[in-house]
Amino acid sequence: MQIAILLFDGITALDAVGPYEVLSRVPEAQVVFVSTEPGPKRTSNQVLALVADRSLTEVASPDVVLIPGGSGSRALVRDEAVLAWIRQAHTTSRWTTSVCTGARVLGAAGVLRGLEATTHWLSLDELADYGARPVQRRVVEQGKVITAAGVSAGIDMALLLAAREAGEDVARSIQLSIEYDPQPPFDSGSPLTAAPAIVELARTRAQVAAGRPA
Amino acid sequence: MQIAILLFDGITALDAVGPYEVLSRVPEAQVVFVSTEPGPKRTSNQVLALVADRSLTEVASPDVVLIPGGSGSRALVRDEAVLAWIRQAHTTSRWTTSVCTGARVLGAAGVLRGLEATTHWLSLDELADYGARPVQRRVVEQGKVITAAGVSAGIDMALLLAAREAGEDVARSIQLSIEYDPQPPFDSGSPLTAAPAIVELARTRAQVAAGRPA
């Protein structure tokens, strides 16, 4: 099973690395990091580069397509090479998936039309522009299309995918091998549980980080 | 606040990227990926390279030292350049931390002597070799030394650190910005909760992955 994870400048690293850490442990799975041009791709804060080893044309029909998010995904919705690759790969994939704002790229490729889908809570409304029905849920499975919520949600999605492909016992053993027994010190991981003041703080900080007026 | 995350060949990517995703959002924090020699460092499965931008000598006195784990950490316990850097940085750091088997490197540097500490559950006993008292807990804080359990535990540790440095409200807003509202589909993330058969499966798979007889 070949799993292609798209890299691009402006990626959110955990969107890609969370699922990678799970899916690379699925028996017989081969994870490959792909990009329009191979080479290092930087996060939007410029702090970390992840290396794409293969071009999109070298990995034309992966079994799993995984599109991470990040501010760079805004440019991808107008990147015809990426959109054409997604459309083509989606015709033969077993699973076509996104994490966080990677959903907008699936949307721009037409993959989400008529489907329920999710993304980072700050971008949820945008999915309607692509004909999807936005839902505030951690992981949304619609046939072979799976979308996950913001950043860390890709880990949960990947465990689901591991169970679908290799069975629940293997998925459970992968969960144990990455010791995914989350104990966040706070309960502020969702706009549904965080206090309103925290939601506003996160919103403001995101706007400042994006260079837009708060 | 300068936060140095060590990269090396044979790293487990999520050990580094989980904390990075949290700590890079702390106001005024500067995260820098360091290595003995700058350049791309591959995971032990060869699937992903993360780029170290700076050498250890360029980042001699970071405020936070963070040592991730991975099979490559076994070589680091005999790497005098890395151990000397840790020892020196520890004399001036605000926090000296590890994720997963990064704890064995802190141990080899002498940082854990006499302290409670944790690491990946499969390597927990080993910490006693370095004079530490191994404890099966997600995050262990001992003064300025913090150790986290396997792989994904670095996210929880980093949120704790963010709260210590920037206050709980900022830490909560970071948790929300990475939408860390974990909903694993199974409850097998700890050897204390996983079924015995799953623990054995994970142990066997780890031995096979390490090339040792099961």
Side-chain angles (χ1 to χ4, degrees), chain B residues 2 6 14 19 31 33 36 50 71 84 106 118 125-126 136 142 145-147 165 167 171 188:
Chain B
Q2 189 181 48
L6 184 70
L14 185 55
V31 177
F33 286 90
T36 311
L50 308 176
S71 62
L106 289 189
T118 198
D125 294 345
E126 191 188 317
Q136 175 68 60
Q142 297 267 285
V145 177
I146 313 183
T147 52
E165 285 294 323
S188 293

Side-chain angles (χ1 to χ4, degrees), chain A residues 65-68 96-100 102-104 106 118 146-149 157:
Chain A
V65 175
L66 194 151
I67 314 293
T96 301
T97 71
S98 65
V99 178
C100 196
R104 65 161 61 109
L106 290 189
T118 198
I146 314 183
T147 51
M157 179 182 81

